[in-house]
Amino acid sequence: MGSRRLAFAEAVSESRGLPSRYLTPDDLVAMFDLPSVETVYQWRRKRTGPRGFRVGRHLRYDPADVQAWVESLREGAAA
């Protein structure tokens, strides 16, 4: 799984943007260098992270929603 994280992180940094596919919790862990996927699930339970949705039993994130969430954090930090 470590190589998958590294490959994803490199792809994001090379393109300077988010991928066009829906993101998984593991993708968010790699993007934000989080300690574990449990952090993403805690954000969801506390409603503090990006907006996610379920496809069956799988949790997914729209890259546009993740970008909007990051921008809202930036705006809050600048205030």
Side-chain angles (χ1 to χ4, degrees), residues 12-74:
V12 169
S13 66
E14 285 175 10
S15 67
R16 298 275 189 237
L18 293 170
S20 59
R21 64 176 175 77
Y22 290 120
L23 303 170
T24 66
D26 285 327
D27 293 334
L28 294 184
V29 169
M31 285 174 59
F32 297 112
D33 196 25
L34 301 172
S36 73
V37 74
E38 185 58 32
T39 302
V40 177
Y41 292 124
Q42 285 178 13
W43 287 348
R44 184 165 167 82
R45 280 192 298 273
K46 295 177 183 178
R47 297 181 183 206
T48 59
R51 186 174 60 171
F53 61 95
R54 292 252 176 220
V55 178
R57 66 181 201 172
H58 303 285
L59 181 58
R60 296 292 181 260
Y61 294 88
D62 187 327
D65 290 338
V66 173
Q67 185 65 40
W69 175 71
V70 169
E71 291 300 321
S72 73
L73 292 177
R74 286 181 179 171

